[in-house]
Amino acid sequence: MLKGRDLLTLADFSDEEVREILEAARTLKLLYNMGHKVNVLSGKTLALYFELPSTRTRISFEVAIHQLGGYAIYLRQEDLQLVRGESIADTARVLSRYVKAIVARVRNHEILEEMARYAEIPVINALSNLYHPCQALADLLTIYEKKGRFRGLRVAYIGDGNNNVCHSLMLACSKVGIDIRVGCPRGYEPLKEVVKKAEEAASKHGSIVEILHDPYETAKGADVIYTDVFVSMGREEERDKRLRDFAGWTITKDIVRMAKEDYIFMHCLPAHRGEEVASEVIDDPKHSVVWDQAENRLHLQRALLALIVP
Ligand code: CP
Ligand code: NVA
């Protein structure tokens, strides 16, 4: 039962629940594309609390809420009494009296956990330093649409293995039986606890979780090549060091040549052409699916809200 649930990390969702969200997203996408409206949020207001900038997540949530007949209030951290010392707990308690759910983007995952502890309504992670579950669910939807299956596929994530997008992608892939291979420089491996959870999930499907340290080796035989920025939000002061450490890790034509002939290229965006990916890879219309991928944030979140918001 998904009604009333928090979504802080996919680790809290069963394989079946992940499937249920994906099926709902496919159905609602079809209905919307046929002109049908589903007004399940009619008369309901949701809060979008953002500590960090966002283009895709904020806009797709606002549009999804509007399309479901609801109303969204965008709350920037600096506009709330939080900046004058009111606690997250008290803020969550008060929001619970006004709105039906909180969608929150935070610098520190612990803030989300505290919010969820004190809120009487669902809290949905719109990105934290550790996880980006809405992105990963939408990515599964895109992979399924492009490849028509999960079983037997291999996703190669190449770049910063220690970030929100990689962590959630690992959990998402392993829950549906996709082989996930992460390639990253030494020192940028995914968190051990995430690797462990992904391995546990993968073992149920007979799929594989691998961490490698060579971009070419990682790309070999992949159906999906995925990357994200080298410098995530909140890590800006490490920029110079990271750009040195990630030298040689830009996804180029030479790297994607190692993948299957019909590989797709994915990136959560925003992209930095010439840093984590060469223009000729991300702008290659034959393989890059990044715009469909961005669109699917809307379709996935519309379904997620329909299922979760009481
Ligand atoms: N992919 C993603 O979450 O993008 P935004 O930071 O623009 O929301
Ligand atoms: N890893 C990136 C994802 C942006 C959507 C960041 O945290 O900045």
Side-chain angles (χ1 to χ4, degrees):
M1 180 67 179
L2 291 166
K3 206 55 93 192
R5 289 273 291 279
D6 297 321
L7 172 53
L8 305 192
T9 164
L10 290 176
D12 298 338
F13 282 62
S14 69
D15 299 3
E16 292 69 32
E17 287 166 342
V18 167
R19 292 264 178 189
E20 187 182 340
I21 296 167
L22 292 173
E23 272 164 35
R26 278 163 53 76
T27 306
L28 274 192
K29 181 172 180 177
L30 204 65
L31 285 175
Y32 266 80
N33 288 345
M34 287 164 60
H36 293 287
K37 296 275 171 285
V38 179
N39 284 315
V40 289
L41 293 187
S42 179
K44 297 179 183 178
T45 302
L46 282 78
L48 306 183
Y49 167 73
F50 278 61
E51 294 179 357
L52 294 161
S54 167
T55 297
R56 282 142 289 271
T57 309
R58 180 212 168 165
I59 298 171
S60 54
F61 263 113
E62 282 207 31
V63 171
I65 292 164
H66 176 68
Q67 288 177 338
L68 292 170
Y71 183 73
I73 309 179
Y74 178 58
L75 303 168
R76 296 187 312 167
Q77 184 184 27
E78 55 264 43
D79 295 334
L80 301 185
Q81 294 285 10
L82 278 166
V83 288
R84 295 183 57 252
E86 187 166 23
S87 68
I88 280 286
D90 287 357
T91 306
R93 287 177 175 119
V94 171
L95 285 178
S96 302
R97 301 294 173 106
Y98 300 138
V99 301
K100 295 290 180 201
I102 304 170
V103 176
R105 171 168 286 197
V106 299
R107 290 186 189 84
N108 184 341
H109 192 75
E110 286 168 18
I111 296 289
L112 268 185
E113 290 176 336
E114 187 166 352
M115 201 177 257
R117 198 171 310 128
Y118 291 98
E120 292 154 27
I121 52 177
V123 174
I124 298 174
N125 182 355
L127 179 146
S128 70
N129 57 325
L130 294 186
Y131 299 108
H132 199 0
C134 297
Q135 178 72 52
L137 286 169
D139 293 342
L140 287 183
L141 177 63
T142 304
I143 292 170
Y144 193 81
E145 286 177 350
K146 301 293 175 189
K147 295 288 171 192
R149 67 194 159 97
F150 290 135
R151 281 207 160 275
L153 291 182
R154 182 188 297 162
V155 170
Y157 174 98
I158 301 173
D160 182 7
N162 190 248
N163 79 13
N164 39 25
V165 168
C166 181
H167 288 156
S168 289
L169 187 69
M170 291 175 73
L171 295 171
C173 287
S174 56
K175 279 177 182 289
V176 297
I178 296 178
D179 287 347
I180 171 84
R181 189 182 263 180
V182 175
C184 58
R186 288 190 194 280
Y188 293 93
E189 292 84 2
L191 281 180
K192 283 203 171 63
E193 66 175 79
V194 177
V195 176
K196 194 166 159 262
K197 285 192 174 126
E199 281 172 347
E200 281 165 14
S203 69
K204 285 195 244 158
H205 299 278
S207 61
I208 288 166
V209 179
E210 280 180 305
I211 315 295
L212 306 179
H213 295 99
D214 179 320
Y216 292 87
E217 200 57 33
T218 309
K220 212 181 262 178
D223 299 279
V224 179
I225 301 279
Y226 197 121
T227 194
D228 183 15
V229 290
F230 293 152
V231 187
S232 282
M233 290 182 276
R235 305 237 165 135
E236 288 81 5
E237 75 288 353
E238 299 168 21
R239 182 170 172 79
D240 292 346
K241 178 179 170 7
R242 282 175 169 260
L243 292 187
R244 282 195 305 276
D245 292 346
F246 282 96
W249 285 85
T250 308
I251 313 268
T252 57
K253 276 271 182 221
D254 281 344
I255 291 181
V256 296
R257 211 166 280 136
M258 307 296 288
K260 287 209 181 122
E261 217 166 286
D262 63 346
Y263 82 91
I264 56 172
F265 173 76
M266 298 180 73
H267 190 313
C268 56
L269 306 177
H272 293 82
R273 288 170 176 74
E275 265 181 46
E276 74 277 5
V277 61
S279 302
E280 56 180 1
V281 172
I282 190 169
D283 296 322
D284 173 3
K286 189 160 174 252
H287 297 282
S288 176
V289 300
V290 296
W291 312 122
D292 292 340
Q293 181 184 2
E295 180 186 328
N296 274 338
R297 297 292 306 278
L298 171 62
H299 299 298
L300 190 287
Q301 287 155 200
R302 201 199 283 123
L304 184 70
L305 292 168
L307 289 169
I308 280 185
V309 179

